[in-house]
Amino acid sequence: MILLDGKKISEEIKNEIKTSVENLVINKKRPPHLAAILVGDDGASLTYIGNKIRSCDQVGFKSSLFRYDSNISEIDLIKKINDLNLDIEIDGFIVQLPLPKHINEQKVLLSINPDKDVDGFHPTNFGKMALGLKSFVPATPYGIMKLIEKYDIQTEGKSCLVVGRSNIVGRPMSILMSLRGRYGNSTVTLAHSKSKNLTELTLNADIIVMALGIPEFLKSDMVKKDSTIIDVGITRVEDKSQKRGYAIKGDVDFESVSKKVKFLTPVPGGVGPMTIAMLLQNTLDARLLSLS
Ligand code: NDP
């Protein structure tokens, strides 16, 4: 089994980004600036935002974090977004999800200027991506596509199963794998909680992307020999033996599946670090776009 080492590949990508930033600075241009909006104090969201900000420092980006109480109104949040849309010192920004229930997530995402939508969630970017046009691609599927490319995994004519149809992972992933291209051209099935006979689907797939959020759901008797398995899941599972009181589990039973397949992403160290690297890539691209 070949481990798809997202940690290593993401470091390579970050080093390339760092070099691009150094070149900008040498040419007397300011470095890219990523802003993040965080509403409330959800532990996982705080961890994700912390990682993103640390990665900005690592590549020489400027970063800003705007934190709000979970009782902020939808109107006030959208006002903040409008400020960021107009701020010429900020190249891209993200609104960390999930948002509190009283805030309409779609309305918030629609208010982001597509040119600064480095998460790629705005319909303008999503639509362009679906048409195979240049756009900001959501960071997690973008990171998975990069891993596939770096390890030169053959996708053409292969059957690819994506499990999970969220707008941020599963659905865009299914689109990217079906697009024309060297690392597309797959025959894609998109499964979800209403899908029947999932095991039949997993057993037939050459490539499986697991993005459902159920720890260790995919077992070795559900996968084809020598297939490629991408594990997007990140779930905190109580584990008293760990200092922090929990362990991070993916959607794949790594222990058993790793004995049967050809390529597999670990959790942690697979898709997670790639997601952050591609967010940085999108932010660099936004900065370069603003200069062109
Ligand atoms: P969502 O909760 O938005 O979507 C989960 C999807 O899984 C839904 O489409 C749901 O179906 C489907 N599903 C749930 N149960 C089953 C089942 N038994 N069989 C088949 N499908 C099922 O999750 P996200 O896409 O946001 O995230 C998925 C996982 O990936 C989570 O663990 C999350 O933490 C992780 N994640 C990791 C990232 C990374 O960087 N590594 C980035 C983003 C997410 P239905 O639509 O019918 O409800």
Side-chain angles (χ1 to χ4, degrees), residues 48 140 163-166 168-169 191-194 198 211-214 217 232-235 251 271-272 275:
Y48 296 146
T140 302
V163 187
R165 58 176 162 184
S166 73
I168 62 170
V169 187
H192 44 75
S193 69
K194 306 289 185 280
L198 190 65
L212 36 45
I214 303 181
F217 181 93
V232 184
I234 301 178
T235 308
D251 289 347
V271 175
T275 296

